[in-house]
Amino acid sequence: MWDYTDKVKEHFLNPRNVGQIDTANAVGEVGSLACGDALKLMLMVDDKEIIVDAKFQTFGCASAIASSSALTEMVKGMSLSEAAKITNEDIANFLGGLPKEKMHCSVMGREALEAAIANYRGILLPMAEGEVVCECFGVTDIEVRRAIEESHLRTVEEITNFTKAGGGCGKCHDRLQELLDASAHQVKASIIPLKASRRMTNIQKIKLIEDVFEREVRPTLRKDGGDIELIDVDGDIVIVSLRGACGSCAKSRTTLKEYVEKKLREQVLDTLTVEDDRA
Amino acid sequence: MNRTIYMDNNATTRVAPEVVEVMQPYFSEFYGNPSSMHTFGGQVGDAIVRARAKIAHLLNADPDEIVFTSCGTESDSTAILSAIRANPAKRHIITTRVEHPAVKNLAENLHAFTGHKYRVTQLAVDSEGMLDLDEYEKAFSEDTAAVSVMWANNETGVIFPVQQMAEIAKAHGVLFHTDAVQAVGKVPIDLKKTAIDFLSLSGHKLHAPKGIGALYVRKGTPFTPFLIGGHQEKGRRGGTENTASIIALGKACELAAARMTVENTRVKHLRDKLENGLLTSIPNAIRNGHPSTRLPNTSNISFEYIEGEAILLHLNTVGICASSGSACTSGSLEPSHVMRAMGVPFTAAHGSIRFSLSIYNTEEEVDFVLEHLPPIIDKLRNMSPFWHNRHKS
Ligand SMILES: Cc1ncc(COP(=O)(O)O)c(C=O)c1O
């Protein structure tokens, strides 16, 4: 039996704002029958971009229904830009918390809200564009990365609790772990340069540069049949050699400046410049 | 509102008052160890002999063929591991896609468990939850070490033709285990008439306490203990006997033998009344599982376009206890493996509810459920986007 708060139970047994708004001008639909929960959020937004009415229809368990009910209560009277700031944690907190295995219900609420706002503004959400990592529940890498960052997730199990990814056949667990590792690296990498500042030794620089190459640059270049090698580091000048398809590619200079140099400046030291060994 | 209508007897049962009565003295009065040399302990050993005989009687087996265990799961593990150890060169086992995790997870983890790679054939079921015996015959190979097929399914109550399947296994020279945890006490079992080598049962499914089980091991069947220790159970299961629960299981089996007819008439009648009532009063309600080849107490119904946990929690507020094959109730994210194996469509799998009755249920309780469930279904459907869209797609 789930350990639901009284507020979850109360919103589940007496959900607010169930129903349809026929004239809704912001509608967000997320989830599916296959996934086991789905939410259709309907908002009425006035010309000052204030949400004047909100209704929902939900297929799902008690916490999905309670999260939907909570969401409609929260957004009524808000401006769209205020509503856009609502996170899944806000929804869970409104309900006095959700069991960790049920956090995905609050994520569904936030996603429906985003979808409704995007629908009002006539734009497409980026979520659907990512690469599907979890086939069972159709979750993309963009969604997973976002959950990792926003909710500070540390384990595959937590990713499943928040996004459902990995909750079916389990084949994507390795990929999810990679996404976790990558985000952990990013956090580390972005901290190091600030702390290490400019007083890094050449060896330290080389190591960090190699890290960035291995983690990010090479995988990207290899997709196009190219590769990169670190030749030397001289002060702030990083000398590299582009290999394979990249070496002969007319865009190689742009690649170096726009991509490699940018990455190194972001993640190692913001004074670095990258040069081709043939230059 | 504090009345409880308990219709979740496949999860566990109420310990029968008669059972509580006979087991109690074994905590306070007859607390001796049956292995002791003194009469004080020895008299407990005598009581265990009588209990063993009662279990054997319910199954029509010899008392020597009954080994007490701590639960159904232990019986399953003991039997399957024993069977494969009897034929260590053979690396294939046959089971089904709808077994209880006690068998399913064991089979799936066998290589990790034993350090060897085992091949597992999981027989499919059709939309009514039935096996195809031709597929079963074809699954055998030279390498097959054991078969494990449940007698009755815990979620749907569907009964498998285990007697026939055991004969087929015997013809191939393969050991046959059946997980009869849900069948014992609900349907007549006569082991003398079968070729079954191992049968598992669990006390708490037939009005004995939790934490007591038994394994039937046919005389002459090769056996390796699972718990290795003292000489208890003739060296077949180490560990000081759970005396009070063994006495309880004996009494529960005696009661089950006496109540078999009631189970298959009155309980079945109540189940049918409940099921037919729900199927006629609620649209888009579908029975899961074969209509007749089924335990007399179990009804599994899907209510389309809504989710099981939500139904259960509403039922809970009016004191009705049932269970669901929905994803949300188990903490997993997919509907039960049984619903998926039967190919129950997603529109229905998430909304499946199991009612499992016992002799303690009354007609009045059935009427209460028939009165209270339809408005709950209505309320949830009214909230469901799929219910409103069902005619569109
Ligand atoms: C078919 C079946 N097998 C095995 C078990 C496990 O029994 P126990 O809970 O005694 O380990 C159960 C009950 O949960 C069951 O229904």
Side-chain angles (χ1 to χ4, degrees):
Chain A
M1 181 115 213
W2 297 112
D3 192 10
Y4 287 132
T5 64
D6 288 343
K7 194 133 186 219
V8 172
K9 287 184 204 155
E10 207 270 318
H11 272 266
F12 162 63
L13 291 173
N14 307 296
R16 329 287 197 265
N17 310 312
V18 172
Q20 307 220 49
I21 306 178
D22 291 332
T23 53
N25 52 5
V27 179
E29 283 183 83
V30 293
S32 72
L33 263 172
C35 291
D37 47 24
L39 163 59
K40 180 175 181 186
L41 178 68
M42 289 150 275
L43 305 177
M44 194 65 217
V45 181
D46 73 7
D47 49 11
K48 295 189 196 71
E49 295 212 334
I50 302 290
I51 299 169
V52 291
D53 197 9
K55 287 208 186 306
F56 78 91
Q57 289 175 335
T58 289
F59 160 77
C61 57
S63 51
I65 291 169
S67 296
S68 311
S69 167
L71 175 66
T72 54
E73 287 287 279
M74 290 165 76
V75 297
K76 269 205 220 173
M78 272 189 180
S79 70
L80 276 191
S81 53
E82 278 175 308
K85 292 192 197 114
I86 292 179
T87 66
N88 70 293
E89 311 276 344
D90 295 337
I91 299 171
N93 290 341
F94 183 91
L95 291 166
L98 285 173
K100 64 181 186 338
E101 295 87 347
K102 297 286 189 174
M103 284 304 287
H104 59 83
C105 295
S106 63
V107 173
M108 178 169 80
R110 191 213 55 206
E111 286 177 353
L113 178 58
E114 275 173 354
I117 295 173
N119 169 257
Y120 177 82
R121 301 209 193 283
I123 52 175
L124 281 176
L125 281 177
M127 292 307 171
E129 283 172 11
E131 156 218 358
V132 173
V133 282
C134 169
E135 303 263 343
C136 299
F137 292 102
V139 187
T140 65
D141 58 343
I142 298 181
E143 287 166 284
V144 172
R145 275 205 201 93
R146 176 162 178 192
I148 292 173
E149 273 159 40
E150 286 185 355
S151 305
H152 312 290
L153 308 183
R154 283 158 196 275
T155 62
V156 171
E157 194 187 332
E158 285 177 348
I159 296 183
T160 307
N161 288 338
F162 277 75
T163 66
K164 290 192 167 193
C169 69
K171 278 194 201 120
C172 62
H173 284 186
D174 288 346
R175 180 78 184 101
L176 295 177
Q177 187 60 50
E178 275 171 33
L179 291 172
L180 276 171
D181 293 344
S183 83
H185 270 298
Q186 249 161 34
V187 174
K188 251 199 266 153
S190 59
I191 289 166
I192 293 165
L194 292 177
K195 287 214 176 120
S197 81
R198 272 139 242 262
R199 291 213 305 270
M200 264 189 278
T201 64
N202 250 9
I203 311 265
Q204 282 173 322
K205 270 184 225 160
I206 290 171
K207 197 179 165 314
L208 286 175
I209 291 166
E210 266 299 343
D211 275 348
V212 175
F213 280 5
E214 201 44 48
R215 196 169 62 234
E216 294 203 42
V217 178
R218 288 206 180 98
T220 309
L221 297 183
R222 278 175 194 153
K223 275 194 205 137
D224 296 324
D227 211 336
I228 191 166
E229 198 154 3
L230 180 63
I231 305 294
D232 201 2
V233 178
D234 182 6
D236 278 347
I237 300 169
V238 182
I239 300 164
V240 301
S241 164
L242 284 173
R243 299 281 160 85
C246 295
S248 54
C249 167
K251 282 198 296 206
S252 67
R253 198 180 146 69
T254 338
T255 305
L256 276 187
K257 288 287 165 196
E258 299 277 9
Y259 177 64
V260 183
E261 191 175 279
K262 192 156 166 274
K263 284 277 168 214
L264 293 183
R265 284 185 174 188
E266 278 170 6
Q267 299 189 25
V268 183
L269 207 60
D270 56 8
T271 46
L272 296 178
T273 48
V274 176
E275 287 188 15
D276 193 330
D277 61 339
R278 289 164 304 178
Chain B
M1 173 77 251
N2 46 20
R3 109 182 245 198
T4 296
I5 295 180
Y6 189 75
M7 295 197 178
D8 201 10
N9 287 278
N10 287 11
T12 197
T13 59
R14 168 186 178 183
V15 180
E18 298 90 330
V19 169
V20 175
E21 198 185 315
V22 299
M23 76 186 286
Q24 239 148 19
Y26 290 86
F27 294 112
S28 43
E29 248 177 281
F30 309 118
Y31 54 82
N33 187 325
S35 300
S36 297
M37 278 301 118
H38 39 71
T39 332
F40 183 64
Q43 63 189 345
V44 181
D46 295 343
I48 290 182
V49 169
R50 290 193 295 275
R52 199 185 304 275
K54 287 174 185 169
I55 292 146
H57 176 73
L58 177 66
L59 305 174
N60 195 21
D62 282 346
D64 271 354
E65 295 174 315
I66 305 299
V67 180
F68 290 112
T69 65
S70 69
C71 59
T73 303
E74 186 192 326
S75 298
D76 287 340
S77 279
T78 307
I80 294 170
L81 294 177
S82 202
I84 60 172
R85 281 172 188 158
N87 274 305
K90 299 190 174 180
R91 295 294 170 77
H92 173 225
I93 70 171
I94 301 173
T95 178
T96 77
R97 288 180 59 191
V98 296
E99 296 300 311
H100 186 273
V103 169
K104 189 169 179 286
N105 289 349
L106 178 72
E108 288 170 1
N109 288 304
L110 256 189
H111 57 283
F113 228 86
T114 57
H116 303 304
K117 283 259 179 264
Y118 273 82
R119 194 162 59 83
V120 179
T121 300
Q122 294 181 322
L123 301 171
V125 295
D126 65 15
S127 60
E128 291 190 318
M130 306 286 274
L131 292 170
D132 173 355
L133 286 189
D134 286 338
E135 189 197 341
Y136 172 60
E137 278 267 18
K138 284 188 201 127
F140 282 91
S141 75
E142 286 297 300
D143 202 33
T144 307
V147 178
S148 179
V149 173
M150 68 202 320
W151 196 304
N153 186 273
N154 45 308
E155 289 191 28
T156 59
V158 168
I159 293 172
F160 286 151
V162 283
Q163 284 119 304
Q164 209 182 334
M165 295 176 84
E167 295 294 343
I168 294 170
K170 189 178 176 188
H172 285 86
V174 174
L175 292 172
F176 188 93
H177 165 248
T178 182
D179 174 345
V181 166
Q182 292 294 346
V184 172
K186 294 176 194 149
V187 292
I189 290 178
D190 183 347
L191 288 173
K192 291 239 154 62
K193 287 209 185 113
T194 78
I196 291 167
D197 296 293
F198 299 98
L199 175 144
S200 303
L201 67 91
S202 176
H204 72 108
K205 311 287 183 178
L206 67 154
H207 306 291
K210 294 150 191 67
I212 182 72
L215 177 65
Y216 158 87
V217 186
R218 175 174 297 278
K219 216 170 265 167
T221 301
F223 184 82
T224 321
F226 180 60
L227 284 192
I228 296 167
H231 57 270
Q232 294 91 354
E233 298 299 290
K234 299 204 165 118
R236 292 176 295 183
R237 199 260 186 192
T240 299
E241 296 86 342
N242 183 353
T243 51
S245 290
I246 288 174
I247 307 304
L249 181 58
K251 183 68 187 180
C253 286
E254 180 187 296
L255 291 174
R259 290 169 176 173
M260 191 68 72
T261 319
V262 180
E263 184 83 35
N264 285 278
T265 50
R266 197 178 70 78
V267 176
K268 182 170 183 298
H269 161 77
L270 291 182
R271 190 273 315 265
D272 290 342
K273 178 172 176 182
L274 176 69
E275 182 169 284
N276 294 333
L278 293 175
L279 292 176
T280 47
S281 67
I282 300 175
N284 296 74
I286 305 155
R287 177 188 46 239
N288 294 314
H290 194 275
S292 58
T293 311
R294 194 164 46 134
L295 293 175
N297 78 319
T298 310
S299 176
N300 189 312
I301 303 179
S302 279
F303 302 98
E304 284 192 290
Y305 306 108
I306 50 177
E307 197 280 327
E309 184 202 274
I311 303 172
L312 287 185
L313 291 184
H314 273 292
L315 285 173
N316 186 54
T317 61
V318 288
I320 300 168
C321 308
S323 75
S324 168
S326 117
C328 289
T329 50
S330 61
S332 89
L333 291 169
E334 295 200 316
S336 90
H337 66 284
V338 178
M339 295 297 123
R340 280 182 286 148
M342 288 164 65
V344 176
F346 280 118
T347 46
H350 286 290
S352 72
I353 299 291
R354 176 188 72 188
F355 298 96
S356 46
L357 280 58
S358 81
I359 53 150
Y360 296 117
N361 288 117
T362 63
E363 182 125 15
E364 197 244 321
E365 289 179 327
V366 168
D367 291 336
F368 187 87
V369 177
L370 288 174
E371 181 192 333
H372 284 84
L373 185 53
I376 292 172
I377 302 296
D378 266 357
K379 178 172 173 158
L380 289 171
R381 280 185 174 163
N382 190 39
M383 225 183 277
S384 165
F386 301 117
W387 178 249
H388 294 282
N389 284 341
R390 70 193 184 282
H391 298 303
K392 289 186 195 155
S393 54

